[in-house]
Structure formats: C-alpha cells, structure tokens
Amino acid sequence: MLRLPVLRHAAPTSLDEAIARLSEDGAMLAAGGTDLVPNLKRRQYPEAKTIVSLRRVTGLDGVSVDDDGTLRIGAMTTVARLADDGAVPEVLREAAGAVASPQLRNRGTVGGNLCVDTRCHWLNVPETWREAAEPCLKAGGEMCWVAPAKKVCWAVSSSDLAPAMVALDASVRLAGPDGERTTPVAELYRDDGMDHLAKAPNEILVEVIVPPLGERRAGYRKLRRRGSIDFPILGVAAVLEIDGDVCTDARLVLGAVASAPVRVTAAEDLLTGRALDANVIQEAAELAGKAVRPMSNTDLTSRYRKKMVPVFVRRLLRDLVDA
Amino acid sequence: MRIDPHHGVVGRAAPRTDALAQASGGLVYVDDLSYPSMLHGKILRSPQAHARIVSIDTSAAAALPGVHAVLTGADLPIAYGLLPVAQDEHALAIDKVRQVGDAVAAVAADDPDIAQRAVELIDVVYEPLPVVATMNDAVEIVDEPIHGDGPRNNRHREVSLDFGDVDAGFDRADHIREDVFFYQGNNHAALEPHGAVALVEDDGRLHLWSATQVPHYLHRIVAKVLEIPEHRIRVTANPTGGGFGAKTDVFAHELVAAKLALATGRPVKLILTREEVFYAHRGRHPVLMWIRTGFTGAGEITAMWFRTYVDGGAYGSYGPASLLYTGQLQTTTYRIPAYRFQGVRFFTNKPACGPKRGHGTPQPRFGLEVHLDKAAEDLGLDPVTIRERNLVHPFSTTVNHLRITSCGLADCIERVVEASEFRAKHRNLPPNRGIGLAVGAYMSGAGLPIYFNDMPQSEVLLKVDRGGLVTVYSMAADCGQGSTTMLATVVGEALGLDAADLAVVTADTDLTPIDLGSYSSRVTFMAGNAALEAAMKLADLILTAVADELELDTDDVRLGRGVVLAGDREIPWPDAVRMAEARWGLLTAAGSYKPPKGIRGDYKGAGVGPSPAYSYSACVAEVDCDPETGFVAVEQVWLAHDIGRAINPLLVRGQIEGSVHMALGETLMEEQAFRGALHDGPSLLDYKIPTALEMPPVEAILVESIDPEGPFGAKEVGQGPLLPVMPAVANAVHDALGIRVDEIPLRPDKILAALRDRERDGQGRYGPTDLPAYEFRPPLPVDPPPELR
Ligand SMILES: Cc1cc2nc3c(=O)[nH]c(=O)nc-3n(C[C@H](O)[C@H](O)[C@H](O)COP(=O)(O)OP(=O)(O)OC[C@H]3O[C@@H](n4cnc5c(N)ncnc54)[C@H](O)[C@@H]3O)c2cc1C
C-alpha cells in the first residue's frame, strides 16, 4: 500500500477557525478526502504540511429549497445524498449518481467534487513512476509530457458535477478571511491544469446555489470505460428551454475535455430560436465536437474521445427533445 | 484403477471448508502476520528501464535512526530462476538494471515510514543504456544485449518444429488461409499484493511465510540464493488473496525478506505496493501470431503453420515453457495431420512475463478460433460444422505426440450450441447484436516437473487420531481455487466421511509432504490422486482390523457413511479407528502420484504440453455492440466444460464464472500496456478490470466424461474455461458488426477503426499486419506417432 506522507491533522469546529488554519503555510482542506488522500499518497502535494478537515464544522451539509425553488446544497453534502434526494433535479442526480463508485459517493462531498483536482496520466501515478518518467510540469518538472511544445499544463477537469452545475447556471458561496462572496460556478474554473480554481487557497466553498429549473429540460451523459469507479473521460450537460417546438434557450457544457468545463456557446446560439429537428441537433453536436481538443492524457485515445463528443451531445439533445 | 464415488461426498455442491473463515476475515493472509519487534522491509526499485549501475551509496540510509539493515546486490550475489534453464535473475540487481522496477537495494526499519525514507536516501548512479521497448527494438537494437552474454538480437529462445509433412499438407489443400493476430499482455491483478514475512526461529532455522502458490520451489531457491541447506529452512505458504499464476514464481521480495531477517535477527515483513505488483508481473505474454492453415473443400484441416512472436520482458522466468505453450496445445482440440510451429521469445526492458491462467495458450487459442471462424466463412460452412469436422478423437495421439484420453469436447459444443440457440441466432440477430462460438482445452497438470527428477509430483499423508479425526497433510497451496476442500472431499468420499469433518494441513515444508504447487491446473488431478491412494490404503487398514477383530471375512466388511458395516453390525467410525490402532499402532497412510510414462514424444520441447488428461470447454457469447461508441456489451455467456467428474460442482461453477470474468476483462479492457518502457498506469484505477456491472449472466454447463485416470474421474477446471471466451466474444462482435478486430483487447477505439476501415471499402479489419524482421531456423522434422504415419 502507498503510505501517506507524515502530516499534521487539524479538525476545526467553526468556519472561521477552518479559514484561519487554512491560511497557514502548507495547509490543505479535506472534505471527504476521496480525491485528496490518494493524491497525497502519490506525493502530488509536496508542499502539504497540515490537513484541515471540514468534517467537524457544523451546518455545511444538507439540501434545502427556498420558496422560489432555488436549491441550496451544503458543501459537505455527500454525493450519495445528492444522487438520492427527491428535491434535487434529475440532471444533478444523474451526474451525482455517475460519480465514482457507491463507496466513494458515500464519502465524497459536493464541495470536494466541484474542487476536485485536475487529472493527467503523467501525474496521477505513484511518485516512483513519475521519477522514472521525469516529473512533468505539474509534478514540479520542466515540461508537460502531453504537449511538450508549450509550458502549459493540460490536466483534465474531472468532476461530474461541474459541467452540470455550469449548465444549470449555479453559483457557489465562498467564505474566506475577508468574508463571503458568491460567484457563478462557471467562474470558479480556469482553463489551466496547474491552477484550475479561480479562488484563493484559503477560501472555502460553503454552499452551492442552483436556480430553479422550472419547465426547462436538463440532462447529463458520461463517457467512461466501466459502469462504475471510472472518472469521466467526457461529460455532457445540457439545459434546454423549449416552447412548443422551438428552443428558446440552451446551455451546453462539456466536462473532462479541458482543464475546466467548456461551455459550447456556438452550439447554444445555433440551437436557440430553432425547432430541434435531427438536422439542427446534428449541427449543434458537430459544433461541440469542433469546440474542444481532448489530449492524450487520460483513458482511451484523444482521437476517440474527440469523436465521442458529437455522439454524446447528439444523444443527450435527442433524449431531451423526446422527453 | 477407476474408483467410482458412492458415499455422496464427491459430487455434492458443498461450500468450501474454509468458506466461513474467508467470508468473516478469519483466514490468515501473509499481511495479517505480526510478531513482536517485527521490522518492515522496503525495496528500492530502478527508475531506469536499462542502465548500468555505476555506484550505490547506502551510507545515509544506514545512518537513519530506526534502520537496521541495508542490502544491495553484493549481499545476494547468486543468480536464480524458476526454470533450471533460466537462471538469469538476482534478488537485487548486480551491475545492471533491466526494467523499471528492478530491485536495486533494500532496507529493514522499525516502521514502514522509516523504511520508505531510508530507501529514498539511497543514492544510485546509473549510466543509461539503449532501451528495448518492443519486439522490433529487440531485433534492431543490438549494441547492448539485455542479458550481457545473450544474443545481440535479444532472442531468448526459439522453437522451430515440423510434425509430419507440412508442405504436402498444404499441397493437398483446396483452400489456404493466412491471418495475423496480436494479443496484448495483461496482469493477473489478484486483489492481494505479494508479500512475505521471515524470521529466525529459536532453533536457528529460517522460517519464511509467503503469499505463494509454490512453496516447494520457493524452498529450493531460498536455499540456493541464501546458501543455507534446505533442512535449515521452513517455508509456509499463506492462503493467497488470488493467485492466477502471479504467485508461481520466486520474487526478490521473498529472498530479501529472508536475508533481512537473517541480517537483523528480527522478524521482517515486506508487502508489495500495487505498483510493485505490476513490475513483478509474470503475467500474460504479449504475442503476435501468424497462422496459415490448409483446408479441404469440406473444411478438414490438411496442414497448419503457426508462428508466434513472444514479448518476454526482462527475464526468463517460465518463458521457455510459455513459448512452447504458444504452439503445443493447438492439436489437443483439432486433428491437425501436419503441423509446423515456429516461435521466438524476446527479451525487452519491461516487467518479465510468465504464467497467467491458461499459461501461453489463451493467445494462440484466440488466434486459432478466430482464424477458424474466418475459414468457415470462406468455405461457406457454419462455425459449428467446421469445428465438428476437425474434432480430436478421444483416446488418440496428436501429431506432436500428446496423449489424448477422455474428451467431452463434442458434448460441450452440443450443449452450448443448444442452450444458447446458436444455430437460430447466428447471422440472424437484430442489427448490432451477435453471437460467437469457440472452444479450448487445457492440461490437468503438466506432465513434467519444473526441475528434472523421477520422484512423485504429489504426495499425501493421512493420520488418524483416536477420536476418529483424519488429518490430511499436503503441500498443495490453496490459491483460492479450493484445493484444501478438494483434498478433504476426496479423502472424505473414500472413507465415507463428511469433507467438513476432516482436518487438512497444507503448504508447509516442515509439516507436509511434497506437492509441486498450484500451477498448470495440476492439484486436483495429482494431489487428488495421491490423496485417494492414501485413503484407499487407510480404508484397507481399518477394514482389515475390524474384520479380524470381529472374525469376519474381509468381504463382509465395508465402509458406510461414518460407519464401518461389518456383517449386520454398524460400527461407528471412531470405534473402528480404535480397533485399527490397537491392531496396527499409529494409523497413517501415504499416497503419491506421478504422471504415467509414455505420454510425450522425444523431441526437444516435447516436455511442454503433455498432461495425464485434458479438460475441454466450449463457449458461446452473445453481444450487443454500439457502432457509434464501439462499446461491446456482453449480454450472456454459455460455457460448457468437460470436468471429467465434478468433485464439488459448486467450486467447479465458481471456477467457470471466475474464468469468464477474467476472460472478459482480457477481451474487452485489461492490458499491461507501456509508454515506451514505462507501465501505462500501475494502479487498479488505470488498469481496467470489469466491475459487477459489466459481468453478464453465465450459464455454466458441466460435462462429465469421467477420466479413467483422474481421481474419481476428475480433471481440471481452474484454467480451461477461460480459453474459449476471448475468441467467442471476438466472433460474436463479427456477427454483430461484420468487422474483425484481430487484436486483444477489443477496445472501443479499435472497433471504430475497423468500422471506419469498412466504410472506406476496406475489409472492416483492425489488427496487425507486419511481423518482426526475424528469421526462424529451418524447422526440425519430427516423425508423427506411428498411428498417424
Ligand atoms: C477511484 C476514484 C474514482 C473517482 N471517480 C470520480 C468520478 O467518476 N467523478 C468525479 O467527479 N469524481 C471522481 N472521483 C473523485 C472524488 O471521489 C469525488 O470528486 C468526490 O466527490 C470528491 O469529494 P471529497 O469530499 O472526497 O473531496 P476531497 O478529496 O476532500 O477534496 C477534493 C479537493 O477539493 C478541495 N475541497 C474539498 N472541499 C472543499 C470545500 N468545501 N471548499 C474548498 N475546497 C474544497 C480539497 O482541498 C481537495 O483539493 C474519484 C475518486 C477516486 C479515488
């Protein structure tokens, strides 16, 4: 078994204390730990000194619905709970139910899922392996082995919930040393595998706020090798507003094809104002395929994954139209 | 002598005798062992695939508080290898490393964290050498052979044999077909990683516990490498959390743990990480194959030429045998009147391959069964007919001198074809659905031991105490297949006792008589026969004593269920046992088993392939393919297996279902792939094993051909049922989509590539076309056995 590095463990009981501990040098936040712990064992965070656990901070879990239908999900709500909760729209339940495996969903949290580190098959390997390969850019080396030409890290955004939340135009409430702020989930991410979260390390995600879905239709589809355990190698989330035959609003977001969820605005524009017949759907699917360039850094070939984008987009849109 | 069961012990679907212990955490695996003042060992492994070791500085590691010993290659200088012809490994590298993950140095420390830090403090300077990552590299990169004194083209072994007149066979063919296939390597991926614990006992003897399938071979090699006489060493094999062949070799960590225990005088535990398991490997060899077969218009085989190119990795291991297995068993299912086999195994700078379930035969079986399917199509025959026209005959001899005895293959085919409604479904299922058929055969134990000797392969000792308890002693190591239960069942049946009422002591070189190990599906046949012989002798002692005591004719005394039936009296077993002990003294009986002579030819290579009996299987798989994503969902598998006799039908079914799961993993996703010489992802997240969700229903059909030499007629089931599954699925995919992916695994991207190929007016094929630029020696002619001349 790979062993954890020797670390200090802090278990604050209030958010303020957690933020204070998190502001210390080498502090890292742990929620369920299902992403953090394996990464630590593979020595992906050499700077880590203290693990600050959120588990004893109360009031961070649970799902509630405001009078206007706005959904509030506490950051410490487990992914399993999200997948099962009748108050949660189908699209989120689908995405949550597709995360990892039952055991990991019982332990993993919504906040941890949205903040899950980007992944790459040159990085998420034991340290001894990385040494044999020479460490890549994100592992402290000089070069990205996926695309050595540029000093850019292409590690993949691997959250199932992220694309669904972006499609739903959800926001997150973050608490930091200077107080709280709320930001759209879309703006939580940067397309940079090294540093994919647009937040300070000592800002804690406390809540996800999902506007009511109303009459809109939404869905999530995931590509992975096996029916369980595997991270997405493509995620497709869509929200459509359909009036009669005509699509009056569309949001289409791809996961696991870049370092951040990718909104395919070209396809959204194409769909909006049109009757969604097979041709329109096909055109939108192809636009989505053109919008992204998966790299050879996770399961199956990049070429294959790119080919799957229009297939998955088309299937999802068709299912939503037929629903 | 054939002995039929009549006590209802054999043939009962009883749970394993250790089922409760297994399910409740009671079984003691090697990692469960813990001793006072035990140290923890850790091995430093090479980050280089091929390099000279310039220097090793261990001073900082040795100086770290809590470190008790540091070893390098100089401390264990003796070369070893499981096969006498492949003594090419060192416990810790000497002068050179040959793969990423080669063991270079080792420490023992107070706890695993200190051990980990200590190995990080060892400074090794390497001088990189050219890396041989592929078989083509092996042929082309000649400046620095992987094994210093080896051939410059890194050829490890070559075979080139002609059985019968192959050219004449092709001359008389109406149709000749050629195909090229590739079968990627894969790992056993047993859930339990390898591990060992060693300590010096009070009497000064070394005691080594290991998660091993071969305590006897481990015993020999520890003695050799550590230069300690065998009688000063005790090896105990713990129950393993899965073996599948992974634990049939001897590994660096076992020798290192033993050496560290000797060096420190303290118990030492050394458990591998998953990454280290992938580097220790000894898994399925990647094999590239070229097959040429001649057929008559009616589909009868006239000649076959089979070439295999085998990527062996960095060491010999079982390789010389693995190579022969890629050619030898083709003749056990089909009558091949003339057969040419040419095979070559190369060294490459990757983890050494070895035996995994089916050892060397799943790859050619995949090639052969798909090749036959294609030939059937060429000839306008259906897949059942072409096979039936060529089926091997029971009690015959093959062109390469293998002795075939009981053979239920025809039954197996009939049963799966019927159960699956193959004839109605083939070519007739809705779009994207398909059905495929394939067959296979496997040995019930290798006819020859690993090292040449004339002694039995299995011995069993029985001892009876005054309370009536029969204890079975055997070195058979239960690797999860249920050999312990099998021993209790065979002895129980022979004595009329419940299997669960016997005690079985296994896998300990101090306590148990020889069994060569749990490999080559040999244990039921060989240890089972030894156990049966011992039990018959014991029964004889007891019956004689009772007859004498009661002054009855021995004919009037026989065994019942838990009693001795003497005339009109029923004597409880314990009473009968006491009568016998009074008569004979301590009640013991021994049995041994040695395969019969005359089951092999006498050409070089003839030692690999012979077995006292072959099991047979036939498989039908039905698939549902997604032509847009290339995903293949296996909907159902039917598998009929000729087990000879099912000693315990529950365990037989378990082996069949487990084989199907493992086979589907190989077929669809598992691969020990590399980026250059670097493992593609040494974790169970990246190495894809099917989950419960991918596992289809399996209809297991048991065919009992009652082998004349097997214990109660039994043959093997541990490996055979795996073999036909891969080609059955590949043939089903062809039926579904009309394409051929001539390469394992059938990954979605390859399925799409084949579909693309078809769209472009191609043949709809994905697979290899080129062979390495390697010239085989001209084949050595071997006369077929007299009846085939
Ligand atoms: C084998 C395996 C398979 C997996 N498959 C999937 C999959 O299919 N899909 C998927 O989406 N994920 C997958 N995961 C990743 C992970 O299990 C889930 O994303 C899970 O929801 C993460 O939640 P957690 O609470 O365990 O996160 P943690 O591991 O606790 O945290 C993950 C990261 O988020 C940060 N973080 C956690 N909570 C907060 C917060 N409230 N505020 C700010 N930062 C925070 C942590 O510092 C850490 O960097 C898999 C993991 C494993 C080990």
Side-chain angles (χ1 to χ4, degrees):
Chain A
M1 198 168 46
L2 289 177
R3 297 183 61 83
L4 276 171
V6 178
L7 297 159
R8 222 189 299 279
H9 187 263
T13 52
S14 73
L15 204 52
D16 285 344
E17 192 192 343
I19 292 165
R21 295 305 304 266
L22 205 50
S23 305
E24 292 168 13
D25 181 40
M28 291 196 78
L29 192 65
T34 59
D35 180 48
L36 188 72
V37 170
N39 289 350
L40 280 166
K41 285 186 165 187
R42 291 185 290 251
R43 302 295 195 271
Q44 284 171 231
Y45 307 124
E47 70 288 359
K49 292 197 182 103
T50 309
I51 299 307
V52 180
S53 168
L54 267 188
R55 293 178 79 85
R56 286 167 77 177
V57 178
T58 50
L60 291 182
D61 67 332
V63 175
S64 64
V65 186
D66 293 352
D67 291 344
D68 68 350
T70 301
L71 184 72
R72 294 178 181 273
I73 307 163
M76 290 297 284
T77 307
T78 66
V79 177
R81 163 85 195 272
L82 196 67
D84 284 347
D85 196 313
V88 173
E90 183 69 21
V91 53
L92 280 182
R93 293 168 58 186
E94 274 173 352
V99 169
S101 66
Q103 296 89 333
L104 289 159
R105 291 197 290 274
N106 286 339
R107 176 106 198 158
T109 66
V110 172
N113 191 284
L114 288 178
C115 296
V116 83
D117 204 351
T118 55
R119 298 179 65 84
C120 171
H121 73 186
W122 294 92
L123 177 72
N124 297 92
V125 275
E127 187 183 30
T128 38
W129 189 102
R130 290 197 303 270
E131 271 168 21
E134 304 249 326
C136 71
L137 196 58
K138 189 165 178 177
E142 294 299 312
M143 289 230 273
C144 165
W145 296 120
V146 176
K150 280 199 222 143
K151 245 192 146 161
V152 174
C153 168
W154 296 90
V156 181
S157 165
S158 300
S159 160
D160 279 305
L161 289 180
M165 292 292 190
V166 174
L168 288 167
D169 199 14
S171 306
V172 287
R173 194 152 60 81
L174 300 165
D178 305 326
E180 290 196 354
R181 66 181 175 110
T182 300
T183 183
V185 174
E187 283 164 34
L188 183 63
Y189 300 109
R190 274 201 279 257
D191 193 14
D192 175 355
M194 295 280 276
D195 187 14
H196 76 298
L197 291 178
K199 73 169 192 61
N202 58 2
E203 277 185 300
I204 297 177
L205 196 164
V206 290
E207 188 179 61
V208 190
I209 304 153
V210 187
L213 189 60
E215 294 299 298
R216 294 177 300 162
R217 304 172 190 185
Y220 180 73
R221 296 291 178 272
K222 172 176 182 173
L223 171 64
R224 59 173 156 181
R225 205 84 89 87
R226 298 173 288 184
S228 187
I229 303 178
D230 289 332
F231 279 93
I233 50 179
L234 168 67
V236 181
V239 178
L240 299 179
E241 188 175 68
I242 297 177
D243 188 3
D245 274 350
V246 178
C247 171
T248 49
D249 189 32
R251 281 174 79 98
L252 178 66
V253 184
L254 305 180
V257 288
S259 298
V262 176
R263 238 187 105 175
V264 194
T265 44
E268 293 175 356
D269 293 347
L270 179 99
L271 294 167
T272 310
R274 306 277 290 274
L276 300 188
D277 61 23
N279 290 336
V280 172
I281 288 176
Q282 183 59 28
E283 239 181 287
E286 277 163 24
L287 279 177
K290 290 198 186 100
V292 291
R293 189 157 73 96
M295 307 295 279
S296 294
N297 52 1
T298 173
D299 190 29
L300 292 171
T301 64
S302 52
R303 180 178 173 170
Y304 173 81
R305 278 158 43 229
K306 187 170 168 70
K307 272 192 74 143
M308 286 308 101
V309 174
V311 174
F312 275 66
V313 170
R314 170 164 44 76
R315 288 180 174 185
L316 173 58
L317 294 179
R318 207 176 45 203
D319 287 352
L320 293 181
V321 170
D322 290 348
Chain B
M1 176 186 53
R2 196 174 116 187
I3 298 169
D4 287 324
H6 61 277
H7 284 130
V9 179
V10 155
R12 198 163 80 83
R16 300 167 53 121
T17 51
D18 56 356
L20 187 63
Q22 273 205 318
S24 61
L27 227 54
V28 180
Y29 296 101
V30 71
D31 197 18
D32 294 326
L33 297 176
S34 182
Y35 290 92
S37 75
M38 185 171 79
L39 302 175
H40 295 265
K42 181 80 194 164
I43 292 175
L44 175 69
R45 293 184 182 270
S46 168
Q48 297 278 344
H50 197 193
R52 220 175 294 291
I53 298 174
V54 178
S55 63
I56 305 182
D57 181 355
T58 60
S59 53
L64 188 71
V67 171
H68 295 264
V70 184
L71 303 177
T72 64
D75 298 301
L76 289 159
I78 296 177
Y80 67 93
L82 203 87
L83 299 188
V85 294
Q87 303 291 302
D88 60 3
E89 296 189 60
H90 287 94
L92 297 169
I94 293 185
D95 300 336
K96 209 167 123 154
V97 289
R98 297 180 174 83
Q99 65 161 86
V100 171
D102 250 351
V104 173
V107 304
D110 284 333
D111 69 43
D113 293 317
I114 299 175
Q116 167 82 40
R117 248 178 298 142
V119 292
E120 286 165 9
L121 289 174
I122 298 173
D123 189 20
V124 186
V125 178
Y126 295 100
E127 177 198 328
L129 295 168
V131 173
V132 174
T134 63
M135 291 196 275
N136 283 329
D137 287 355
V139 177
E140 284 158 21
I141 301 179
V142 296
D143 0 331
E144 173 72 32
I146 292 173
H147 287 275
D149 49 356
R152 303 195 75 76
N153 60 5
N154 288 301
R155 185 201 70 225
H156 171 216
R157 301 289 271 206
E158 188 195 306
V159 187
S160 187
L161 294 166
D162 252 11
F163 303 97
D165 193 339
V166 178
D167 296 332
F170 282 118
D171 282 347
R172 83 183 165 88
D174 300 318
H175 175 66
I176 292 179
R177 181 168 182 100
E178 281 181 22
D179 281 299
V180 184
F181 297 97
F182 179 64
Y183 197 113
Q184 176 61 291
N186 50 55
N187 186 261
H188 322 77
L191 275 189
E192 179 208 32
H194 305 50
V197 170
L199 61 76
V200 181
E201 298 278 9
D202 293 346
D203 59 5
R205 297 167 71 234
L206 176 70
H207 193 166
L208 176 64
W209 288 261
S210 179
T212 182
Q213 300 172 242
V214 288
H216 174 60
Y217 295 141
L218 177 58
H219 193 200
R220 287 167 51 86
I221 292 176
V222 173
K224 177 186 180 189
V225 174
L226 268 57
E227 298 179 275
I228 302 173
E230 280 178 49
H231 73 273
R232 302 289 297 160
I233 301 168
R234 174 178 182 184
V235 172
T236 306
N238 291 77
T240 57
F244 314 113
K247 294 158 183 165
T248 55
D249 210 334
V250 169
F251 295 93
H253 69 273
E254 294 166 315
L255 300 163
V256 163
K259 185 72 180 176
L260 286 170
L262 290 170
T264 59
R266 288 170 64 171
V268 175
K269 176 186 277 190
L270 212 167
I271 308 289
L272 300 191
T273 63
R274 181 58 56 182
E275 184 191 15
E276 289 177 294
V277 171
F278 281 110
Y279 294 158
H281 194 44
R282 318 290 146 148
R284 185 88 69 230
H285 284 78
V287 179
L288 185 61
M289 309 159 245
W290 174 88
I291 314 172
R292 172 169 211 229
T293 307
F295 298 89
T296 66
E300 280 160 11
I301 296 169
T302 62
M304 184 180 289
W305 183 356
F306 214 104
R307 278 179 166 167
T308 62
Y309 302 82
V310 177
D311 185 347
Y315 295 98
S317 179
Y318 280 78
S322 320
L323 173 64
L324 281 158
Y325 280 130
T326 65
Q328 283 290 60
L329 297 195
Q330 280 82 330
T331 56
T332 54
T333 49
Y334 303 117
R335 278 174 286 118
I336 303 174
Y339 182 49
R340 175 174 298 153
F341 168 49
Q342 296 179 301
V344 58
R345 183 180 193 262
F346 294 105
F347 286 126
T348 54
N349 291 119
K350 294 180 294 194
C353 299
K356 179 185 170 186
R357 206 176 205 168
H359 193 187
T361 72
Q363 305 96 321
R365 182 53 63 183
F366 164 72
L368 175 57
E369 295 294 318
V370 175
H371 177 71
L372 270 190
D373 225 57
K374 295 183 184 189
E377 223 168 280
D378 297 345
L379 294 164
L381 297 171
D382 70 81
V384 183
T385 307
I386 195 165
R387 289 178 171 82
E388 283 176 347
R389 296 229 163 121
N390 289 290
L391 281 193
V392 73
H393 297 307
F395 301 96
S396 62
T397 309
T398 70
V399 74
N400 55 341
H401 297 258
L402 302 178
R403 184 196 69 159
I404 307 294
T405 56
S406 63
C407 169
L409 183 54
D411 273 359
C412 288
I413 294 178
E414 201 183 305
R415 299 280 300 274
V416 279
V417 164
E418 221 164 80
S420 64
E421 297 170 49
F422 181 86
R423 287 181 202 276
K425 289 178 180 170
H426 188 243
R427 298 283 180 267
N428 294 322
L429 286 171
N432 307 326
R433 279 188 86 103
I435 195 160
L437 167 76
V439 309
Y442 201 69
M443 309 176 299
S444 302
L448 294 191
I450 296 286
Y451 63 97
F452 179 77
N453 71 77
D454 242 348
M455 294 173 282
Q457 286 212 30
S458 288
E459 296 164 347
V460 166
L461 181 71
L462 302 179
K463 190 208 76 184
V464 191
D465 79 5
R466 289 180 187 180
L469 174 71
V470 179
T471 305
V472 187
Y473 297 87
S474 159
M475 209 179 287
D478 202 323
C479 57
Q481 89 280 41
S483 57
T484 301
T485 305
M486 179 281 295
L487 288 167
T489 309
V490 166
V491 175
E493 172 64 44
L495 300 177
L497 302 173
D498 257 4
D501 285 341
L502 273 67
V504 187
V505 176
T506 61
D508 186 315
T509 59
D510 265 18
L511 304 179
T512 61
I514 282 293
D515 178 83
L516 291 186
S518 288
Y519 65 94
S520 84
S521 275
R522 51 178 299 292
V523 182
T524 294
F525 204 95
M526 301 198 183
N529 264 325
L532 182 55
E533 184 187 285
M536 298 309 288
K537 286 187 194 165
L538 184 65
D540 204 46
L541 290 176
I542 290 168
L543 293 179
T544 313
V546 171
D548 287 359
E549 175 73 21
L550 302 181
E551 297 180 355
L552 289 170
D553 212 57
T554 38
D555 288 349
D556 294 333
V557 181
R558 59 197 169 83
L559 289 168
R561 238 350 242 284
V563 295
V564 172
L565 303 168
D568 48 10
R569 287 177 59 189
E570 277 195 8
I571 312 216
W573 171 259
D575 295 346
V577 159
R578 283 188 283 266
M579 283 181 201
E581 189 179 338
R583 169 83 157 77
W584 305 109
L586 172 62
L587 277 183
T588 63
S592 15
Y593 179 80
K594 209 188 324 186
K597 291 209 184 310
I599 61 170
R600 51 171 294 206
D602 66 353
Y603 53 93
K604 190 161 185 268
V608 172
S611 173
Y614 298 90
S615 76
Y616 287 91
S617 332
C619 176
V620 168
E622 190 170 329
V623 301
D624 189 358
C625 304
D626 184 333
E628 279 192 316
T629 63
F631 270 65
V632 174
V634 178
E635 297 287 316
Q636 169 132 23
V637 171
W638 294 263
L639 201 140
H641 182 72
D642 167 17
I643 175 69
R645 158 125 41 211
I647 301 252
N648 180 329
L650 190 63
L651 297 200
V652 172
R653 284 176 198 282
Q655 287 298 314
I656 291 174
E657 287 170 15
S659 285
V660 170
H661 176 263
M662 181 169 267
L664 292 179
E666 299 196 19
T667 311
L668 300 174
M669 53 184 84
E670 293 186 37
E671 49 186 323
Q672 173 110 334
F674 292 83
R675 275 173 259 165
L678 271 175
H679 195 287
D680 198 35
S683 75
L684 290 185
L685 179 57
D686 291 324
Y687 183 88
K688 306 290 182 197
I689 302 171
T691 71
L693 295 173
E694 281 73 47
M695 187 66 187
V698 177
E699 186 173 334
I701 300 165
L702 310 193
V703 169
E704 297 195 314
S705 61
I706 314 296
D707 187 77
E709 295 174 23
F712 298 113
K715 302 194 283 191
E716 77 87 40
V717 65
Q719 312 193 62
L722 174 113
L723 299 165
V725 181
M726 289 73 75
V729 174
N731 290 339
V733 168
H734 172 68
D735 188 42
L737 298 175
I739 53 157
R740 285 288 181 186
V741 175
D742 290 336
E743 191 178 299
I744 290 288
L746 306 171
R747 267 192 344 239
D749 52 312
K750 298 179 189 173
I751 304 267
L752 291 193
L755 285 166
R756 233 178 4 252
D757 182 54
R758 194 182 54 185
E759 270 166 36
R760 283 192 310 244
D761 272 355
Q763 314 169 316
R765 175 178 185 268
Y766 178 92
T769 47
D770 299 333
L771 303 172
Y774 179 82
E775 284 284 326
F776 286 97
R777 289 191 303 255
L780 189 80
V782 178
D783 281 341
E787 59 266 44
L788 296 182
R789 275 179 214 155

